[in-house]
């Protein structure tokens, strides 16, 4: 876990560049030792692409190069994700440090009033692009999800699955915004790690989030209490790591009893939802089915059984072409490229059709960074 103590102050009339971080010599040594141990090879023989493949495309080669070379910084979230993937801990000052930043003046839009709270130019740009990005594909998953939550209520569970780098977490947060009363929801994500995937670790993680004892019964009580006053959304990422008895215990000892309690005697006017997202990033649906019942269509008689949304697919030319056409007015407001938007977007998807790669490249076209400007704002 990374910790940052720096406070960033906004100076009127200036824009401070976003913080970026580089590893110290000690930090590089930690990475070197971890990679040599995991890849069973000399550090000098390990290529950036080898690391990309080992980390299942969680990062691109450019990001890995920045981290290894140390001449360009990466954002905090990227460095934290990298340390988590390698199961190492970085300490601020000792293992990594912030690159110096210089406040740069920028032109601001004229104020409509002397006391307004309008977002900065950058914030407006991020929100506009994010609004457009939400509309790229995933139509099949969204349609099935909306159908399910309209039929199966107040509790439901969903499996989101596909190959690495296909946008599982992106979709979780996209679907979350379709849930009634999601704005003030109690929402938490759990990330399963390869070296900590037993049921007791899962209970412990949940109990810490809920500030209760690590037993499924007490956890269920706390979740039920939250649901009485707000929508509750729980996401378990890397769920394939607990396929088998651990996942079966989670469903049998916590989720199913909780759903039964929620469904017994719920007043018709109660508006809040209880949702579970199981997120598989390694295309392991068949593996999960050995320990987990799955539905292909919503079933009001089995609300505790996860509904498997359609497997995530790569983006294609038609998807991007349609998206550009529908979002053209909004995109044109942000576009500063010399080539046409259509031509650039088609080139992106032709080179790499993995959804996260495409989304990241689109962000670069608008001088934004996927991890820093988009992913960092995810609630789940």
């Amino acid at each position: 876990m990374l910790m940052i103590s720096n406070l960033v102050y906004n100076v009127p009339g200036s824009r401070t560049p976003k913080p970026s971080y580089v590893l110290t010599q000690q930090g590089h040594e930690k990475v070197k030792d971890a990679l040599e141990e995991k890849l069973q090879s000399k550090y000098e023989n390990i290529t950036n692409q080898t690391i990309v493949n080992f980390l299942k495309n969680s990062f691109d080669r450019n990001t890995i190069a920045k981290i290894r070379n140390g001449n360009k910084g990466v954002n905090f979230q990227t460095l934290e994700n990298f340390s988590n993937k390698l199961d190492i801990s970085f300490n601020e000052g000792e293992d990594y440090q912030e690159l110096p930043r210089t406040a740069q003046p920028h032109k601001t839009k004229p104020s409509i009033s002397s006391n307004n709270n309008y977002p900065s130019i950058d914030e407006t740009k991020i929100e506009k692009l994010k609004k457009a990005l939400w509309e790229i594909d995933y139509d099949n998953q969204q349609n099935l999800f909306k159908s399910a939550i309209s039929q199966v209520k107040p509790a439901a569970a969903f499996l989101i699955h596909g190959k690495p780098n296909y946008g599982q977490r992106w979709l979780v947060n996209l679907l979350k915004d379709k849930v009634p009363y999601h704005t003030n929801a109690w929402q938490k994500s759990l990330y399963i790690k390869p070296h900590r995937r037993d049921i007791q670790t899962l209970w412990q993680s949940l109990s810490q989030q809920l500030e209760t004892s690590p037993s499924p019964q007490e956890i269920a009580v706390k979740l039920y209490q939250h649901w009485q006053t707000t929508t509750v959304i729980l996401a378990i990422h890397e769920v394939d790591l607990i396929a088998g008895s651990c996942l079966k215990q989670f469903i049998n000892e916590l989720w199913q009893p909780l759903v039964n309690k929620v469904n017994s005697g719920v007043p018709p006017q109660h508006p809040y939802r209880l949702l579970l997202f199981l997120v598989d990033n390694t295309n392991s649906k068949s593996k999960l089915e050995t320990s987990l019942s799955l539905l292909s269509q919503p079933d009001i008689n089995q609300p505790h059984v996860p509904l498997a949304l359609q497997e995530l697919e790569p983006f294609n030319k038609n998807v991007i072409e349609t998206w550009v056409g529908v979002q053209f007015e909004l995109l044109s407001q942000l576009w500063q490229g010399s080539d046409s938007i259509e031509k650039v977007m088609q080139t992106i998807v032709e080179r790499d059709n993995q959804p996260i790669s495409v989304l990241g490249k689109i962000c670069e076209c608008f001088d934004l960074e996927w991890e820093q400007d988009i992913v960092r704002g995810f609630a789940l």
Side-chain angles (χ1 to χ4, degrees):
M1 176 65 69
L2 299 175
M3 298 296 293
I4 290 184
S5 58
N6 308 62
L7 293 177
V8 179
Y9 296 92
N10 293 321
V11 180
S14 69
R15 182 173 66 202
T16 303
K18 295 168 185 173
S20 61
Y21 302 87
V22 293
L23 294 178
T24 63
Q25 183 61 41
Q26 180 173 305
H28 280 294
E29 287 299 320
K30 283 189 176 182
V31 171
K32 174 179 177 291
D33 292 343
L35 288 171
E36 287 183 338
E37 178 184 352
K38 293 178 182 298
L39 297 175
Q40 298 296 301
S41 178
K42 289 286 188 180
Y43 186 67
E44 293 75 13
N45 298 329
I46 300 173
T47 67
N48 292 337
Q49 186 59 53
T50 301
I51 300 173
V52 170
N53 295 339
F54 172 70
L55 298 179
K56 299 178 179 177
N57 295 302
S58 298
F59 308 89
D60 58 33
R61 280 184 296 178
N62 183 50
T63 300
I64 296 298
K66 287 181 181 179
I67 295 173
R68 295 184 78 185
N69 297 340
N71 55 346
K72 292 184 179 180
V74 296
N75 64 65
F76 172 73
Q77 188 64 56
T78 297
L79 198 58
E80 181 178 41
N81 291 342
F82 184 72
S83 68
N84 288 338
K85 289 288 184 181
L86 291 182
D87 296 324
I88 56 180
S89 297
F90 288 145
N91 298 314
E92 184 184 3
E94 298 176 3
D95 301 313
Y96 71 97
Q97 58 192 14
E98 182 180 346
L99 285 176
R101 291 179 288 164
T102 303
Q104 300 293 333
H106 73 282
K107 296 180 180 180
T108 57
K109 292 182 178 180
S111 297
I112 296 177
S113 68
S114 60
N115 184 28
N116 66 62
N117 292 312
Y118 293 103
S120 69
I121 294 174
D122 279 354
E123 289 172 338
T124 302
K125 183 177 182 180
I126 291 170
E127 290 307 312
K128 283 185 176 180
L129 184 60
K130 185 185 292 186
K131 180 180 178 181
L133 293 177
W134 281 137
E135 302 301 323
I136 299 183
D137 208 22
Y138 300 108
D139 292 336
N140 292 332
Q141 292 83 5
Q142 292 187 72
N143 291 336
L144 184 55
F145 178 80
K146 288 187 285 188
S147 174
I149 62 172
S150 68
Q151 298 177 50
V152 184
K153 51 188 178 182
F158 301 89
L159 172 67
I160 294 177
H161 63 106
K163 296 177 181 178
N165 211 33
Y166 271 45
Q168 285 86 334
R169 189 181 175 201
W170 172 249
L171 180 57
V172 168
N173 285 274
L174 174 59
L175 297 180
K176 181 264 297 184
D177 282 358
K178 314 295 183 185
V179 180
Y181 298 95
H182 69 271
T183 306
N184 297 315
W186 185 93
Q187 48 194 342
K188 300 292 180 182
S189 282
L190 294 178
Y191 291 86
I192 307 300
K193 295 186 177 181
H195 65 294
R196 301 188 67 193
R197 46 179 170 169
D198 59 280
I199 193 64
Q200 291 306 319
T201 298
L202 189 54
W203 296 149
Q204 188 68 43
S205 298
L206 276 169
S207 67
Q208 289 174 356
Q209 298 272 19
L210 293 160
E211 299 181 349
T212 188
S213 60
S215 75
Q217 295 78 18
E218 291 300 318
I219 292 169
V221 168
K222 280 286 188 177
L223 289 172
Y224 181 78
Q225 290 174 350
H226 279 299
W227 170 77
Q228 289 180 309
T229 59
T230 188
T231 284
V232 171
I233 307 173
L234 180 64
I236 301 180
H237 297 263
E238 315 292 353
V239 70
D240 58 288
L241 291 175
I242 56 172
S245 60
C246 183
L247 184 56
K248 187 178 293 186
Q249 274 186 269
F250 173 82
I251 297 295
N252 293 342
E253 296 180 19
L254 173 61
W255 183 247
Q256 184 171 357
L258 176 59
V259 172
N260 290 342
K261 183 174 178 62
V262 163
N263 280 298
S264 63
V266 56
Q269 70 274 18
H270 192 79
Y272 304 118
R273 300 301 183 88
L274 172 67
L275 295 187
L276 170 67
F277 289 110
L278 302 176
V279 186
D280 159 42
N281 295 299
T282 59
N283 207 26
S284 299
K285 180 186 175 185
S286 58
K287 177 182 176 182
L288 292 166
E289 286 178 316
T290 62
S291 60
L292 185 68
S293 297
L294 292 172
L295 299 172
S296 58
Q297 292 296 325
D299 187 345
I300 60 174
N301 297 313
Q302 301 184 81
H304 67 282
V305 178
L307 171 63
L309 301 183
Q310 296 90 335
E311 179 182 336
L312 304 188
E313 297 180 345
F315 291 160
N316 58 47
K317 289 184 178 181
N318 290 335
V319 165
I320 297 302
E321 181 180 294
T322 300
W323 174 70
V324 171
V326 172
Q327 299 295 321
F328 188 77
E329 182 178 354
L330 188 153
L331 296 174
S332 297
Q333 298 172 16
L334 308 174
W335 188 251
Q336 295 182 337
S338 54
D339 289 331
S340 69
I341 299 175
E342 295 90 342
K343 180 179 178 181
V344 173
M345 296 302 150
Q346 288 294 342
T347 300
I348 288 173
V349 77
E350 285 172 1
R351 290 182 175 179
D352 187 348
N353 61 8
Q354 295 180 97
I356 291 302
S357 297
V358 174
L359 292 169
K361 291 298 181 184
I362 291 174
C363 286
E364 290 179 12
C365 290
F366 295 93
D367 297 322
L368 295 175
E369 187 177 334
W370 170 252
E371 288 285 342
Q372 176 73 21
D373 296 312
I374 307 297
V375 174
R376 195 174 185 182
F378 287 175
L380 293 170

